[in-house]
Amino acid sequence: PGASDDYELPDPKTLPGASDDRSSSLINLVLVKRGGCSFTTKVSMAAKKGAHAVIIADKDDSDITAETIHNIVVADDGYGANIKIPSVLVDKVVGNKLIQACGRMQSVIVELAWDLPANRVVQLDMWMSAASIQSNQFLKSFAPFRRKLNRVVNFKPHYDVFSLDEADPRTYNGLCFDQQGKFCTEDPDATGPITGKDVLEEDVRQLCLHEAQKEQLTSPEDLAKGLPGVLFSRKYWYYVERFAEKCPLDAPNAQDRFGYECSRKLMTEAGADLRLVDDCVRVNTTRILEDQVAHRAWSPRAMRINGWRYSGIMDAELVVRAVCSAFTTKPWECSELIKPRDPTQPYVPAPAAGISFGELLLWIMIVLAAMAGAFQVYKTVLKRELQKTLREEVMLEVQQQMGEYQKLTGR
């Protein structure tokens, strides 16, 4: 469809060649032309109409070629979080061939494959920020999987650090380590107490914790055979799994808020050697920050698996599936972690911990009912007390009047 064309998708089960066998089921693969609206809008509309995947053909006047299109990141307009189907942008040559073939009403066979480079041990690189809510939520949900895969996956954390021109006014607005603008990062709470310098210091602490507390899990015999080594930082994962909860940005007390004091307390709880971490921070801060600037990713929140750019939903289960597809021989850990699913059904992440609107409404009604009941009890008790008080006052008044009467009759 074009930018302004409407369309309806048939049920794949009704098409010629359809089968009841799930392994050979037909799916709705929608081909759309770039332009007219955002990528997100195109894919979202196709998903609502029943598409299982979307191919976006580049515009005819585009300068992007088959060689350079791999460097293009399909932008999100801010509404992409609800999209659960895959999409891919193809160059105009490939796109026009597909459009022409579809126009001739001939059978077109398309295979969408995201083939990861395979290895005996998977290398997982992740770019993030210590103050990012999204990054911390992912780390918390991914931590149990990481522990399970600790003998077959190497994890390397990276933190988003950039440079600004010294004359840029943003260098004076709390984004940078100093006013030279060499090391800067996002300010997580705008006018709040946490600055970019605070975040950079926490980034360095976390990197030092990871490096200083890594354990070699590959046996000396396997290393002697030339097998790749696997390092795992158990204390780092204990720390990052709890960091957002233990050291929130908006904690009322400084010792419980994002920063040095809370970090030290959590590292102690994790059993980390604070002396090693402190030495690393003191000696290597500049080198670490320079390395982060030199090896930035295409996005502040990014991931690579065996050097391959992961572009899916940042969901722990999906990342584990991608990791497990990058082994030359799938280890037993993956068999235990991955549950079979129907590929023709869109993936819907598990809801975040919390209560639904219906549950919230029910609790509000329960609280209101309890308050109404308590008010009714209070009203009843108050009425009884008032009646008792009135009776006592009336009796006292009667007794006083009787006393006066007796005095009068005695004269």
Side-chain angles (χ1 to χ4, degrees):
S4 60
D5 298 333
D6 196 9
Y7 58 92
E8 295 296 333
L9 299 180
D11 185 344
K13 296 178 181 179
T14 64
L15 297 176
S19 169
D20 292 332
D21 182 8
R22 281 189 174 184
S23 63
S24 59
S25 295
L26 296 177
I27 63 173
N28 275 325
L29 194 63
V30 174
L31 174 64
V32 297
K33 195 77 171 178
R34 179 185 175 188
C37 59
S38 69
F39 293 115
T40 305
T41 300
K42 291 179 181 291
V43 178
S44 179
M45 291 301 298
K48 289 178 181 178
K49 291 178 179 293
H52 296 94
V54 178
I55 299 175
I56 305 171
D58 200 10
K59 297 184 291 187
D60 293 330
D61 59 353
S62 174
D63 296 328
I64 300 173
T65 65
E67 290 73 27
T68 60
I69 200 165
H70 300 292
N71 299 323
I72 303 299
V73 177
V74 177
D76 183 357
D77 62 3
Y79 296 93
N82 294 323
I83 295 177
K84 313 301 180 189
I85 63 173
S87 60
V88 61
L89 175 67
V90 299
D91 65 274
K92 60 187 178 185
V93 176
V94 173
N96 286 332
K97 286 182 179 179
L98 291 171
I99 292 171
Q100 292 168 8
C102 292
R104 291 193 294 267
M105 301 301 291
Q106 66 184 62
S107 297
V108 180
I109 299 175
V110 176
E111 178 184 6
L112 295 182
W114 287 265
D115 295 324
L116 278 70
N119 210 332
R120 292 173 61 94
V121 171
V122 169
Q123 177 65 41
L124 180 62
D125 292 80
M126 180 178 173
W127 283 261
M128 55 189 149
S129 168
S132 166
I133 295 175
Q134 293 81 6
S135 296
N136 284 313
Q137 286 176 340
F138 172 79
L139 290 171
K140 181 177 180 179
S141 60
F142 184 70
F145 298 105
R146 174 69 184 103
R147 293 190 186 93
K148 189 74 173 180
L149 296 167
N150 62 357
R151 295 187 179 276
V152 289
V153 172
N154 275 320
F155 176 84
K156 185 174 183 179
H158 306 263
Y159 291 82
D160 183 54
V161 183
F162 53 85
S163 299
L164 291 174
D165 189 276
E166 188 175 351
D168 192 318
R170 288 179 294 174
T171 59
Y172 301 94
N173 292 334
L175 294 185
C176 303
F177 203 75
D178 53 36
Q179 293 185 354
Q180 295 177 353
K182 189 176 180 180
F183 307 122
C184 308
T185 194
E186 302 169 357
D187 184 342
D189 60 351
T191 58
I194 310 302
T195 66
K197 182 179 180 180
D198 295 327
V199 178
L200 291 169
E201 290 175 346
E202 178 60 31
D203 291 344
V204 172
R205 282 194 294 270
Q206 291 191 12
L207 282 167
C208 281
L209 174 63
H210 185 266
E211 292 303 310
Q213 305 281 230
K214 286 193 297 189
E215 308 167 38
Q216 177 63 257
L217 299 185
T218 306
S219 67
E221 294 78 13
D222 287 341
L223 290 173
K225 295 176 185 177
L227 296 177
V230 178
L231 298 169
F232 178 61
S233 184
R234 197 178 312 276
K235 293 166 186 176
Y236 169 84
W237 282 99
Y238 181 98
Y239 181 90
V240 296
E241 187 177 11
R242 295 161 176 80
F243 181 71
E245 180 183 351
K246 296 278 189 175
C247 304
L249 296 170
D250 56 354
N253 302 318
Q255 64 269 24
D256 298 324
R257 189 187 306 141
F258 184 105
Y260 177 77
E261 291 184 53
C262 188
S263 174
R264 299 277 292 185
K265 187 165 57 175
L266 184 55
M267 283 190 188
T268 301
E269 182 182 312
D273 188 330
L274 297 182
R275 181 184 56 82
L276 290 177
V277 176
D278 289 343
D279 288 346
C280 172
V281 171
R282 178 174 50 82
V283 175
N284 299 311
T285 291
T286 300
R287 179 191 62 79
I288 288 173
L289 292 175
E290 287 176 342
D291 184 65
Q292 302 310 301
V293 172
H295 298 92
R296 295 191 71 206
W298 59 96
S299 169
R301 315 287 176 262
M303 182 176 289
R304 285 191 182 274
I305 302 173
N306 285 348
W308 174 84
R309 180 186 296 185
Y310 175 80
S311 302
I313 303 170
M314 198 63 80
D315 176 84
E317 184 181 339
L318 287 186
V319 170
V320 169
R321 288 180 180 275
V323 167
C324 286
S325 65
F327 289 102
T328 49
T329 302
K330 186 175 292 187
W332 62 267
E333 290 91 341
C334 288
S335 301
E336 292 189 359
L337 290 175
I338 296 178
K339 300 176 182 178
R341 61 177 291 263
D342 185 354
T344 65
Q345 298 300 315
Y347 177 77
V348 179
I355 61 174
S356 66
F357 177 75
E359 291 174 328
L360 176 62
L361 191 61
L362 177 61
W363 276 109
I364 291 174
M365 293 176 65
I366 291 174
V367 171
L368 289 175
M371 290 176 63
F375 178 76
Q376 188 63 37
V377 171
Y378 172 74
K379 183 179 176 182
T380 303
V381 172
L382 182 62
K383 184 178 179 181
R384 289 177 181 173
E385 288 296 322
L386 285 172
Q387 289 175 342
K388 182 179 179 182
T389 302
L390 285 172
R391 282 199 300 269
E392 289 177 352
E393 289 182 355
V394 169
M395 291 298 296
L396 287 171
E397 183 66 25
V398 170
Q399 290 174 0
Q400 183 179 358
Q401 293 296 329
M402 290 296 294
E404 292 294 331
Y405 175 77
Q406 289 174 357
K407 290 178 183 179
L408 288 173
T409 57
R411 290 178 182 177

